[in-house]
């Protein structure tokens, strides 16, 4: 039996609670689709461009490790993102909310996240993305460079 | 009347006691004690460890250690070993011309050749030439991809890229025409510009093909025979990599230099033999083998080997309070090895595998000052102290308490610095010999071959089995078995190779696979310990035929090694020899052999029944 390499590899979902204000749409790897599904009345409760930039960097980290990702922009709660990690193909999902990056992975029992970081630099956000991909690849995690 | 007699063995690492309860001319009970040795073997500092060890045994017997009637200590073998590593080849690049490293995630695939050019200078590039772009740190991957795409549209032929940052895949994903990209090049500023260059990236799971082959490099750069000979070290340094860059600079020169490593002079009974260290271990060992009895060994002054041999001599002289002129090296062991050494003039911390020779030496002097120690101990405890027989013979006596053994018997004690062997013939005569090369040399080889530069980590690798953390809840041991855990494993250990120590796990931070580490560990034991055992057997054998031996028993702390016992059994079963770890007094395992032998020798001499 011959196996064909997957043309559309499974994706890691990044849930970003933020809205695009002045930031131009990211120059994402062509396969990435950004869904902006935000209820108009909840806009005020959301973050802004900063969250989106973080989410993009997390995505770049995943991409550099050779995996695909999809950024979902909208209003998300922890439970929903945790649920997503359970039901996703790769077993990993990421929440970017209020300047905080949380990585959930199906391997872990309970609701505790694998990584949870506050106020990260963009460089470190990319490393978090890499580490999220490395769960799938079973590779050792990289350490963050600058913690604030 | 009940009497208590103790045999005490002061070893390099532990002090062991065998305490016997004697009644009506018979040994009715025996207990063991163990404590770390205090100070250097044979000095008064040892008393502390001796008392600890006696206390340990006495408490098991339910008596006070001061109630003892006699203590017998061993005539310690005055043997000390030392080791050194001598690199005999070295790769030097006088002008940076090679980048061969394994970034985790290079971009693209295939081979690209062209002139090196800074990404910012692409505007000045012509359309008639091929280029390899060099991307420094300050250029974002989005800009890099955009610039490459734009310039390619204008007809500039871009065939490959060299990146400072770990952006290879990100850039590659955004290119309209895919090119091989090598990233994480540390010293990007040192990449010469305007020079012919080749970039090769292999498919996942593959190795570069052209640049790891001297003729491949010759084809790419149209080299002549003489130039091809020069680039052999480059090709050699790139073998096994997934990606590589080679740049041809006009004055660039790469040499594999053979370092003058000096000579070893082996002084035999009648003749002095010479062995050049840079000819490798085999030649040295051939010379050692043909010297019937080694009287002394010296090395060329001013070389590493000369210095090392002198160091051993001085240490032993200081220990025994003798003049260094009276200390002689009586055995030498050399082992060939390959060590990773940083290439001089490298761009991304490249390593080249260099040839090296590991050397261990063993020194024997007159007696250590055991009488002095005995006197001091006697004063301290107010008990009679007696000095028993030679360590080797005592070990044999102790080893004979292992069920299933019989004379003739050969006892192997692999220590840290030397391998001690003692043969007991059928008639009870014993023949001890001491060889250079033991546990510490194994540790040194592991450390050097894995490029660890960390003796303690190498020591742990030697002693304990490995495992890989495969998920947050399970590890796979090196034998393939899987173990699951209740609690999540520390994420710092995730995906890593770990050493399974009884007191906890230890991560090995290296890109080398578990299989590679295991192979290095087993080969080091094979090269030093198994070879030494065979050498020892050949030395004590009368006929040179190893089939004449029947029992080979391992004693001492290092036979507690988790795999050595099996390795020895395996190697010796080829010669029809029964071999394995001792089980002293049916209960003690390989420990306590000498202490037990001391006690037994006292009983025999004084007509007690056992």
């Amino acid at each position: 039996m011959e196996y064909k390499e997957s043309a559309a590899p499974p994706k890691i979902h990044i849930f970003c609670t933020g809205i695009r204000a002045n930031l131009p749409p990211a120059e994402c790897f062509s396969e990435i689709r950004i869904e902006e599904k935000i209820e108009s009345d909840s806009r005020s409760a959301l973050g802004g461009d900063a969250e989106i930039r973080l989410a993009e960097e997390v995505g770049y980290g995943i991409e550099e490790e050779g995996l695909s990702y999809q950024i979902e922009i909208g209003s998300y709660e922890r439970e929903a993102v945790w649920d997503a990690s359970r039901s996703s193909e790769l077993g990993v999902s990421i929440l970017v909310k209020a300047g905080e990056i949380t990585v959930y992975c199906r391997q872990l029992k309970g609701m505790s996240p694998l990584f949870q970081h506050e106020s990260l630099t963009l460089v470190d956000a990319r490393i978090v993305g890499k580490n999220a991909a490395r769960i799938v690849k079973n590779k050792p995690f990289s350490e963050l460079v600058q913690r604030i | 009347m009940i009497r208590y007699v103790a045999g005490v063995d002061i070893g390099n690492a532990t002090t062991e006691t065998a305490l016997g309860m004697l009644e009506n001319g018979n040994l009715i009970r025996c207990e063991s004690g163990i404590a770390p040795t205090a100070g250097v073997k044979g000095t008064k500092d040892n008393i502390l460890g001796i008392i600890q060890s006696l206390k340990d045994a006495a408490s098991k017997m339910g008596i006070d250690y001061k109630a003892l009637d006699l203590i017998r200590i061993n005539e310690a073998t005055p043997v000390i070993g030392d080791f050194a590593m001598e690199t005999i080849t070295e790769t030097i690049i006088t002008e940076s011309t090679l980048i061969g490293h394994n970034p985790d995630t290079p971009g693209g695939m295939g081979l690209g050749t062209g002139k090196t050019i800074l990404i910012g200078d692409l505007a000045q590039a012509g359309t008639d030439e091929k280029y390899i772009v060099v991307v420094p740190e300050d250029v974002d991957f989005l800009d890099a991809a955009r610039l490459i795409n734009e310039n390619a549209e204008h007809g500039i032929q871009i065939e490959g890229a060299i990146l400072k940052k770990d952006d290879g895949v990100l850039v590659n994903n955004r290119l309209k025409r895919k090119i091989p990209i090598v990233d994480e090049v540390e010293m990007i500023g040192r990449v010469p510009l305007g020079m012919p260059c080749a970039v090769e990236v292999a498919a996942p799971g593959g190795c570069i093909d052209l640049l790891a082959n001297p003729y491949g490099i010759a084809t790419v750069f149209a080299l002549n025979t003489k130039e091809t000979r020069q680039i052999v070290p480059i090709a050699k340094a790139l073998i096994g990599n997934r990606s590589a860059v080679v740049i041809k600079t006009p004055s660039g020169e790469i040499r594999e230099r053979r370092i003058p490593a000096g000579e070893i002079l082996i002084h035999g009974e009648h003749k002095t033999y010479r062995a050049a260290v840079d000819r490798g271990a085999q030649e040295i060992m051939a010379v050692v083998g043909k010297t019937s009895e080694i009287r002394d060994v010296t090395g060329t002054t001013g070389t590493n080997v000369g210095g090392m041999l002198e160091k051993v001599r001085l240490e032993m002289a200081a220990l025994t309070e003798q003049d260094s002129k009276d200390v002689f090296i009586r055995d030498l062991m050399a082992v060939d090895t390959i060590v990773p050494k940083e290439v001089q003039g490298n761009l991304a911390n490249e390593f080249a595998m260099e040839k090296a020779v590991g050397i261990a030496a063993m020194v024997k002097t007159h007696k250590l000052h055991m009488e002095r120690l005995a006197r001091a101990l006697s004063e301290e405890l107010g008990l009679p102290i007696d000095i028993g027989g030679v360590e080797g013979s005592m070990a044999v006596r102790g080893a004979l308490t292992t069920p299933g053994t019989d004379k003739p018997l050969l006892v192997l004690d692999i220590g840290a610095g030397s391998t001690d062997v003692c043969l007991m013939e059928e008639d009870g005569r014993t023949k001890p010999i001491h060889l250079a090369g033991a546990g510490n040399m194994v540790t040194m080889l592991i450390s050097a071959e894995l490029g660890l530069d960390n003796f303690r980590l190498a020591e742990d690798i030697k002693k304990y089995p490995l495992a890989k953390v495969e998920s947050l809840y399970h590890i796979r041991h090196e034998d393939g078995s899987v173990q699951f855990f209740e609690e999540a494993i520390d994420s710092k250990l995730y995906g890593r190779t770990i050493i399974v120590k009884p007191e906890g796990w230890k991560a090995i931070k290296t890109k080398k696979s578990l299989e590679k580490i295991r192979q290095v560990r087993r080969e080091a034991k094979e090269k030093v310990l198994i070879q030494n055992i065979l050498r020892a057997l050949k030395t004590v054998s009368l006929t040179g035929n190893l089939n004449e031996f029947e029992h080979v028993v391992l004693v001492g702390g290092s036979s507690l090694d988790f795999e050595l016992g099996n390795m020895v059994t395996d190697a010796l079963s080829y010669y029809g020899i029964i071999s394995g770890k001792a089980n002293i007094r049916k209960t003690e395992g390989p420990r306590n052999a000498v202490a037990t032998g001391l006690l037994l020798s006292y009983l025999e001499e004084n007509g007690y029944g056992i």
Side-chain angles (χ1 to χ4, degrees), chain A residues 63-64 107 126 130 135, chain B residues 166-167 173-174 472 494:
Chain A
E63 187 184 339
E64 177 60 29
Q107 275 188 30
R126 197 187 287 189
K130 276 180 172 230
I135 301 166
Chain B
D166 182 14
D167 284 344
N173 279 343
R174 285 162 184 74
L472 291 163
Y494 182 79

Side-chain angles (χ1 to χ4, degrees), chain B residues 13-14 414-416 439-440 442-444 446 452 455-466 478 498-503 506 508 517-518 520-522 524-525 529 557-565 581 591:
Chain B
T14 56
I414 300 164
N440 280 347
V442 175
T443 309
M444 175 187 76
I446 293 174
L452 297 175
F455 196 84
R456 278 180 60 186
L457 179 62
E459 186 80 10
D460 282 339
I461 292 176
K462 178 180 80 174
K463 280 189 185 155
Y464 307 105
L466 302 168
E478 63 173 64
I498 53 169
I499 307 170
V500 186
K501 292 173 72 170
E503 64 268 27
K506 191 167 172 182
I508 309 172
I517 300 170
R518 179 171 184 267
V520 165
R521 181 192 75 210
R522 288 184 66 93
K525 288 178 185 174
L529 304 181
S558 68
S559 50
L560 293 170
D561 183 293
F562 69 100
E563 62 188 346
L564 184 64
K581 281 187 220 173
R591 286 220 181 265

Side-chain angles (χ1 to χ4, degrees), chain B residues 203-397:
Chain B
C207 296
I208 52 161
D209 181 31
L210 270 171
L211 296 186
N213 171 4
Y215 299 122
I217 301 178
T219 314
V220 170
F221 293 112
L223 302 181
N224 61 31
T225 319
K226 188 172 160 252
E227 289 166 326
T228 306
R229 184 184 299 281
Q230 278 184 352
I231 51 90
V232 171
I234 294 195
K236 208 181 82 183
L238 294 179
I239 291 172
N241 277 358
R242 215 194 123 192
S243 65
V245 177
V246 174
I247 304 158
K248 189 179 177 234
T249 53
S251 60
E253 190 192 332
I254 291 171
R255 290 183 286 148
E256 185 189 58
R257 195 173 70 159
R258 289 189 90 85
I259 303 163
E263 267 188 339
I264 295 178
L265 288 98
I266 298 160
H267 309 280
E269 212 168 345
H270 308 292
K271 204 175 158 205
T272 293
Y273 296 93
R274 286 165 178 276
V277 174
D278 60 5
R279 299 288 289 275
Q282 256 191 346
E283 188 160 312
I284 299 172
M285 288 319 284
V287 174
V288 169
K290 79 180 167 194
T291 315
S292 56
E293 204 193 322
I294 299 173
R295 288 295 168 88
D296 197 14
V297 182
T298 51
T300 321
T301 12
T303 62
N304 279 354
V305 65
M308 175 223 136
L309 293 172
E310 277 326 293
K311 195 180 125 227
V312 178
R313 204 185 300 277
L314 287 175
E315 269 177 21
M316 194 65 190
L319 187 64
T320 54
E321 294 169 22
Q322 291 181 76
D323 196 281
S324 66
K325 285 192 209 91
D326 299 330
V327 178
F328 302 104
I329 293 172
R330 305 302 290 272
D331 188 42
L332 187 94
M333 185 188 207
V335 175
D336 276 325
T337 169
I338 303 261
V339 297
K341 283 265 176 219
E342 204 164 306
V343 174
Q344 289 187 33
N346 67 77
L347 293 172
N349 300 322
E350 303 94 325
F351 284 86
M353 300 308 288
E354 306 287 2
K355 281 186 211 147
V357 177
I359 291 170
M362 188 271 299
V363 161
K364 226 156 125 186
T365 67
H366 309 300
K367 279 187 191 174
L368 286 176
H369 299 286
M370 287 318 238
E371 295 90 354
R372 229 169 38 190
L373 174 64
R375 257 202 314 278
L377 186 63
S378 179
E379 274 166 31
E380 177 88 23
L381 297 178
L383 293 173
I385 312 287
D386 170 20
I387 299 178
V390 182
E391 205 169 339
S393 327
M394 293 302 113
V396 181
R397 269 174 209 273

Side-chain angles (χ1 to χ4, degrees), chain B residues 114-133:
Chain B
K115 254 187 178 175
T116 47
I117 185 168
L118 259 185
I119 191 151
D121 298 340
L122 274 176
Q124 285 102 53
T127 51
D128 50 346
E129 251 186 310
K130 291 179 173 176
Y131 292 101
I132 302 288
V133 269

